[in-house]
Amino acid sequence: MPDPRFDMLVDGRAWRSGPWLVDAAARALYRNGEEVPVPPKALSCLIYLVAHHHRALGRDELINAVWGHAHLSDGVLAQTIFQLRGLLAGGVSDGPIRSIRGFGYRWITPVEVCSEAERVLSPPPSGTTAEGPATGPSAAVAEPANARHTGAVADAPAGVPQAPARRLAGATFALGAAALFVLMALASWLLQDQPAHRVIPGTAASDAVVTDGRALLVLPVVAPDGADTTWMRLGLMDLVAARLRAAGATTVPVETALLLDRSGSGEGDRYARWSAATGARVVVTRISHANGVWVVHVEALQGDDADVRVMAESADAVAAAREAADRLALALDHVPAPVPGESTQVLALLQQVDAALLERDLERATRLIAAAAPEVREHPRLRMADAMVAFHGMKLDHARSRFESLVETLDPELDRRLSAQALTTLASVNALLGRPEETRRLLEGLATRLDAAVDTDLLGIVQMNLGLLAQERGDLAEADLHLARARQLLEGVGDLQRQSVLASNLGVHALRSERLAEAGSELDRALAGFEALADRSGRLHVLASKLELELARLDVSAATASAARLQPDGSESLLARTYARTAQAMALLEQGRLREAAAAIDTLHAASAGQPGLTAYEAVEALLRLRWLVATGASAGQRAVQAERARQLLAPHRNLRAFQAEAWHLLVKATLESGDAAVAKDVSGAFLDWAEAVELRGVRLRALMANVAVARQAGDHDAVARDIALAWTLLDDAASPWHWLVVAEGMLPLPASRPDHESQLLRLAQRLAPSASHHFGAACARVRLLDELGPDSARPAAVARARALAGERALPADLVPASRLGPARSGEMASAD
C-alpha cells in the first residue's frame, strides 16, 4: 500500500504552478483551464512533488509514497519522471522538475495553494507558459524545453531540411493521433475511386449467393457518345449491380469493375481474364437510343456454359436498365425485388451523383445535389452522397456531422445496409480525425450487428479495420485474430481488389511485427493483385512497403531498385503518394545521397504538414531528419533535440514502435556525447522500462544496446557484459539482419576479454557478411569486427568497401584513424568513388 502520507494529499487541496493547476481531490491536471490526461502513477508522483515543493524528495521516498514499496527499480521512477517532463516541459530537461544528483527530485516552479472557489471558478489564465507569457500562437511550446542546454535544430548546419516551428505534442498528443502506415489502409483506399454510398471497396455485397456460388462482375455500361449520356456508363452500371444484389445475387464491387475496365479495355480476351482473376461471371450491358426509345441489352457470360442474354426498352433510360437487370435476375433463378417508390427522375439523379463520385468529380456531384429540389435532397441516398462529398474533399468535421445526422434518422431495420455503410464511413472519418476509441466503438457495434452469411464483405472490412486498430494499440495478438477473420470472410466473396487490400494490410502488419518472411509473401500477393487491377494507389503503397521491408533486410540494392519504381503520376491517393515519398527518402539516406535526401524530406514535409490524417508521416519525417543529422555528423546537441522531438511525435503511433525505439536509442547516444551522463542514465532507464512492455525483438535489443553505451561510459564493465549477454539471448536463426547489426554496433568495442567473445564475434561476422557488400552500416561493423578479432589482411579491403558505400556520409573516425589516412585525408568526407 502507498505511504499514509500520500493519503493526506487527497483532502480537497489544489495547487497552481505556472500554467498548471493540480487538483489532488479530483486527481486531475489542468493547463490553462483544459484538463490534460496523465497516467495514474505519473499523476500521483506529480501530486506528491507539488505538495512537497518546499524540499527535495529522495527516490526511495517517492517510490514508497506512490508505489507503496521500496524494492521497485529506480528505472520505473526515472521513466515516470521522464513522462512528466515530456508533458510539462516538452523535452528531457528538468523543466519544473529538477534532478538532485545522487538523491532524487524537486519541484522548482513557484506553487500557490488554491481555495475551493479558485479551483472551480478560476482556472489559470490562458496564454502563459512555464517560462512566461506567450508571445504568439505557437509560443507556448515553440521549441523543446531542453533547447537552451543542447542547442536547437534551427542552428543546424547549412542544408539541413528544416520544419517550421509549430506546437510539439506532449502526452495529450496520443488522444488526437490518427493511425497511419498500417492504419493508412483504413483510409488510403477510402480516398480512391468510390461511389457515394460506399466507403471501402466491396461494401456493396449481396444478401445471398448465386446458384453456382459465383459472383457477378458488372462492367461499366457501353453507352452512346454524347455529353448528356456520359454518366450512364457508371451510373447505370451501379443501377444494374444494385438490382441484381436486391434480387439476391452476389456482385463484385463496382469499384473493382471500374479498375478492371481501366486496366486494358482494348484486349480481346479481357472478359475471360477478368473472370479468372475474380472468380466471377462477367455481366456486359449495352444501351442505345433510337426514335425516342432507349434499348438496353444485358448478358451474363457463362464461360463454358451458354451465355444468358436479356433485353428491355423504354422511353426512360433508367426504367429500361432496371427492367433489363430484373430480367437477368430471373434468368439466373433470382426473384427481383420490389421496384423502389422513387420516380425514375429521382433514380436518375441518384445514379448521376454516384457516377460523379465514382469519377471523383466532386464539383459535379455538389452541383447535382444543390440543383435537386429540397424534398429530394432529404433522400437518404442523396444525404449519404452529400456526406461522401465532404469526406472525399477531406472536410472531415463536416463529413462527421453529416454522417452522424444521417445515422440518427435512418431506421437500422428498414435501411439496414445504408445504415451500416454510413456507420462504416463514420468510423473511418473518426480514425482520420484521431478518435481511435470512437472508431473502435463504431466498428465493434457493427461487428455485433452484421450477419456473416448476409453481410460477408462488410463484416470482413469491419474485422480488417478492427485488426488495424488493434495493431495501432500495440495488441499484436488481437490484430492477428481480427485479420485472420477478415481473410476468412473476404476470400469467400471472390473480389480481387479486397483480397489485394487485405494482403497489403497483412504484409504491413507482419512487417511491423518483425515477421519479415511473412511480410514479403503477403506484399508480393498484394502487388500482383493491384497490378492486375491497374490500381496505381494500391501498387504504390505496396511498393513503398516492400522498400521498407528490403531496408529491414539490409538489402540496399533491392531497395534502390524499388525506389526507382516509386514514381507517382498524381492520379494516386494522397496517402499513397505520401508513403511513397517517405520510402524514397529512407532509400536515399541508406544510399548516402544526403543532398537528395534533404530535398526529399522537405518535399515530404510540404505534403504532410497540417494535413488531416497524416500525423504518422509528420512523426516519421522527424525521424528522417534525425537520421540526416546523424549521417551529416551534426552536433550532439542538435541530435538530442531532434531525437526527443521524433520520440514524442512517434509515441502515439504504437505500430511504429521500432521507429520510436530508434529515436530513444539515438537520444541516449546524443545525450551521452553532450556530456550529461546523469540525464542519459535516466533516459536509458526509462527506455528499458518502456521496451519491456513491447513484444518486439528489435525494440528490446535497441534498449539493451543503449544501456550498454551508458554503462560503458560510466566504466561499469559488469553491466556492459550483463546487457550484452541479455542481447545474445534474443538472437537466433529467426533474427533479421538488422537485429544482428544493432547488436554489432552496440557491443563494440568489447569490454575486458571473456571466453565467449571470440565465438560471438565470429557469429556476428558470419551473419553480417552478406549485407556488408552493399550496406554501409554493415560494412562499418565488419571493419570493427576485424579489428576485434585481431590483425587481418582483409581489413584494407573492408575499409575500402565501407568508403565506397558511404556516399556523402563521413567515414567514422574509429574505422580510419588519422595516422592511417595521412594529413591529406584526415577528416575528409568519404566519397563513393
Side-chain angles (χ1 to χ4, degrees):
M1 296 293 292
D3 190 296
R5 288 175 294 178
F6 192 84
D7 294 334
M8 295 171 60
L9 299 177
V10 190
D11 61 356
R13 279 193 286 171
W15 301 268
R16 180 178 297 154
S17 183
W20 304 100
L21 189 148
V22 182
D23 191 333
R27 288 193 59 79
L29 173 67
Y30 299 89
R31 179 187 174 88
N32 297 328
E34 296 182 6
E35 185 172 0
V36 177
V38 187
K41 292 299 183 186
L43 181 59
S44 296
C45 192
L46 174 63
I47 292 172
Y48 201 84
L49 282 164
V50 174
H52 297 84
H53 62 92
H54 55 282
R55 64 183 177 88
L57 300 172
R59 291 186 176 88
D60 289 343
E61 179 182 347
L62 274 168
I63 290 172
N64 192 49
V66 175
W67 284 272
H69 43 80
H71 63 269
L72 197 74
S73 73
D74 283 353
V76 175
L77 176 61
Q79 180 185 22
T80 303
I81 295 295
F82 193 81
Q83 284 180 325
L84 287 173
R85 284 173 171 166
L87 179 72
L88 299 166
V92 296
S93 68
D94 289 354
I97 303 175
R98 173 172 294 171
S99 294
I100 308 299
R101 187 180 297 273
F103 181 74
Y105 305 92
R106 181 178 179 182
W107 184 273
I108 60 171
T109 303
V111 174
E112 300 174 21
V113 178
C114 300
S115 66
E116 179 71 9
E118 286 178 310
R119 187 185 72 200
V120 176
L121 301 177
S122 304
S126 61
T128 61
T129 71
E131 303 296 328
T135 58
S138 61
V141 199
E143 63 179 17
N146 63 330
R148 60 182 181 274
H149 299 299
T150 58
V153 176
D155 296 327
V160 63
Q162 293 294 319
R166 59 179 181 272
R167 179 176 293 274
L168 297 181
T172 56
F173 186 78
L175 300 178
L180 267 299
F181 270 77
V182 172
L183 252 190
M184 71 179 296
L186 185 66
S188 63
W189 26 271
L190 297 179
L191 304 179
Q192 297 177 35
D193 301 314
Q194 311 284 330
H197 53 286
R198 296 178 184 85
V199 187
I200 300 171
T203 59
S206 69
D207 295 337
V209 180
V210 291
T211 306
D212 66 357
R214 298 178 68 191
L216 300 174
L217 174 62
V218 181
L219 295 175
V221 172
V222 181
D225 294 333
D228 295 334
T229 58
T230 52
W231 67 270
M232 291 182 178
R233 181 172 176 273
L234 303 182
L236 294 186
M237 170 188 70
D238 196 50
L239 175 61
V240 170
R243 291 304 296 168
L244 290 170
R245 288 194 302 271
T250 299
T251 65
V252 173
V254 293
E255 297 85 9
T256 301
L258 187 56
L259 284 170
L260 287 170
D261 185 65
R262 289 172 175 170
S263 68
S265 58
E267 301 178 31
D269 65 345
R270 64 189 186 280
Y271 294 159
R273 289 188 295 102
W274 296 344
S275 179
T278 61
R281 291 185 291 183
V282 173
V283 174
V284 179
T285 305
R286 295 179 175 84
I287 185 170
S288 59
H289 185 257
N291 300 320
V293 176
W294 291 99
V295 180
V296 177
H297 294 268
V298 184
E299 58 183 326
L301 308 181
Q302 300 278 64
D304 295 335
D305 300 326
D307 296 342
V308 176
R309 295 183 176 86
V310 298
M311 184 269 288
E313 57 183 32
S314 171
D316 186 280
V318 171
R322 183 175 60 196
E323 178 63 23
D326 289 348
R327 290 180 180 180
L328 179 63
L330 280 170
L332 297 175
D333 296 327
H334 294 291
V335 179
V339 175
E342 294 93 354
S343 67
T344 55
Q345 289 81 5
V346 172
L347 287 176
L349 172 63
L350 293 172
Q351 298 308 141
Q352 289 181 58
V353 173
D354 274 6
L357 284 170
L358 273 170
E359 293 186 320
R360 297 302 303 277
D361 189 343
L362 303 186
E363 291 184 4
R364 181 165 175 257
T366 301
R367 288 197 303 271
L368 287 167
I369 295 169
E375 63 275 11
V376 176
R377 286 200 296 270
E378 292 302 309
H379 191 287
R381 275 186 60 191
L382 214 56
R383 292 177 62 198
M384 182 79 165
D386 189 39
M388 287 300 290
V389 168
F391 175 70
H392 286 309
M394 294 300 285
K395 298 176 181 178
L396 299 179
D397 288 323
H398 292 295
R400 180 168 173 262
S401 64
R402 290 172 186 175
F403 278 118
E404 286 178 340
S405 174
L406 176 62
V407 168
E408 288 175 1
T409 58
L410 288 175
D411 187 321
E413 298 302 323
L414 296 177
D415 302 299
R416 185 180 62 83
R417 189 73 187 183
L418 189 63
S419 176
Q421 292 161 359
L423 285 168
T424 306
T425 323
L426 179 58
S428 301
V429 172
N430 277 304
L432 290 171
L433 285 171
R435 301 165 61 93
E437 291 306 315
E438 181 65 12
T439 303
R440 184 182 182 185
R441 183 187 67 79
L442 290 167
L443 291 173
E444 288 178 341
L446 274 170
T448 61
R449 287 173 45 187
L450 296 172
D451 186 333
V454 174
D455 302 301
T456 307
D457 69 322
L458 187 52
L459 183 57
I461 290 162
V462 169
Q463 289 292 337
M464 177 163 51
N465 288 342
L466 283 171
L468 300 179
L469 285 171
Q471 212 241 11
E472 169 66 8
R473 294 195 307 275
D475 192 335
L476 301 183
E478 183 181 339
D480 284 335
L481 289 173
H482 284 299
L483 291 172
R485 177 62 172 151
R487 167 155 283 173
Q488 180 184 21
L489 290 162
L490 292 178
E491 290 206 331
V493 177
D495 176 53
L496 183 59
Q497 190 190 28
R498 275 176 300 199
Q499 292 168 8
S500 301
V501 168
L502 177 61
S504 176
N505 291 338
L506 286 166
V508 177
H509 174 59
L511 175 59
R512 296 286 175 261
S513 303
E514 298 184 353
R515 305 196 297 260
L516 302 190
E518 179 186 339
S521 175
E522 294 290 357
L523 291 174
D524 286 342
R525 179 179 180 179
L527 184 60
F530 286 131
E531 288 185 337
L533 292 165
D535 183 338
R536 291 191 58 85
S537 290
R539 177 181 177 275
L540 200 62
H541 177 263
V542 174
L543 284 174
S545 300
K546 283 177 67 68
L547 188 152
E548 193 180 338
L549 171 63
E550 289 152 359
L551 292 179
R553 291 171 170 164
L554 305 187
D555 193 344
V556 179
S557 300
T560 301
S562 291
R565 301 173 68 187
L566 289 173
Q567 301 298 330
D569 66 0
S571 65
E572 304 87 355
S573 69
L574 171 63
L575 292 175
R577 295 197 305 273
T578 307
Y579 191 11
R581 291 189 182 100
T582 304
Q584 286 173 324
M586 289 180 178
L588 290 168
L589 285 168
E590 286 294 344
Q591 295 169 57
R593 296 159 61 181
L594 302 185
R595 295 179 183 86
E596 293 175 74
I601 295 170
D602 283 339
T603 300
L604 174 62
H605 171 76
S608 61
Q611 287 285 347
L614 295 184
T615 55
Y617 292 107
E618 290 191 76
V620 176
E621 175 210 327
L623 180 67
L624 295 179
R625 292 182 189 278
L626 173 60
R627 290 180 183 178
W628 194 95
L629 289 170
V630 171
T632 55
S635 71
Q638 291 167 329
R639 285 182 279 122
V641 170
Q642 187 64 17
E644 172 57 14
R645 178 174 180 270
R647 189 197 66 80
Q648 287 195 22
L649 291 175
L650 286 162
H653 304 283
R654 296 185 183 181
N655 58 318
L656 301 178
R657 289 168 301 178
F659 290 162
Q660 189 179 358
E662 181 182 353
W664 273 103
H665 192 179
L666 292 174
L667 176 60
V668 172
K669 292 175 68 174
T671 307
L672 276 176
E673 291 179 37
S674 68
D676 199 337
V679 172
K681 184 176 181 180
D682 281 350
V683 176
S684 180
F687 183 15
L688 270 174
D689 290 334
W690 173 78
E692 284 180 2
V694 178
E695 296 180 5
L696 290 177
R697 189 194 320 241
V699 168
R700 298 186 67 189
L701 285 173
R702 282 197 184 276
L704 286 168
M705 292 300 101
N707 214 47
V708 165
V710 172
R712 179 182 285 122
Q713 183 154 318
D716 189 345
H717 301 303
D718 290 339
V720 170
R722 179 199 65 215
D723 287 338
I724 289 176
L726 286 172
W728 275 95
T729 66
L730 298 174
L731 294 174
D732 55 30
D733 290 340
S736 69
W738 77 271
H739 290 142
W740 293 91
L741 180 59
V742 167
V743 173
E745 291 177 335
M747 69 180 286
L748 302 175
L750 288 169
S753 179
R754 291 168 54 93
D756 58 347
H757 280 169
E758 185 171 355
S759 65
Q760 290 178 348
L761 293 173
L762 289 171
R763 195 175 177 198
L764 280 171
Q766 179 186 24
R767 291 288 180 172
L768 292 176
S771 305
S773 63
H774 51 257
H775 188 276
F776 178 65
C780 293
R782 175 172 168 74
V783 177
R784 295 189 179 100
L785 285 166
L786 291 172
D787 287 341
E788 291 288 340
L789 287 167
D792 194 304
S793 59
R795 190 185 193 282
V799 172
R801 187 59 190 159
R803 179 179 291 113
L805 293 170
E808 297 165 16
R809 292 168 288 204
L811 204 64
D814 65 313
L815 266 62
V816 189
S819 60
R820 295 181 184 175
L821 280 174
R825 291 189 62 83
S826 180
E828 181 181 349
M829 178 178 287
S831 169
D833 55 19

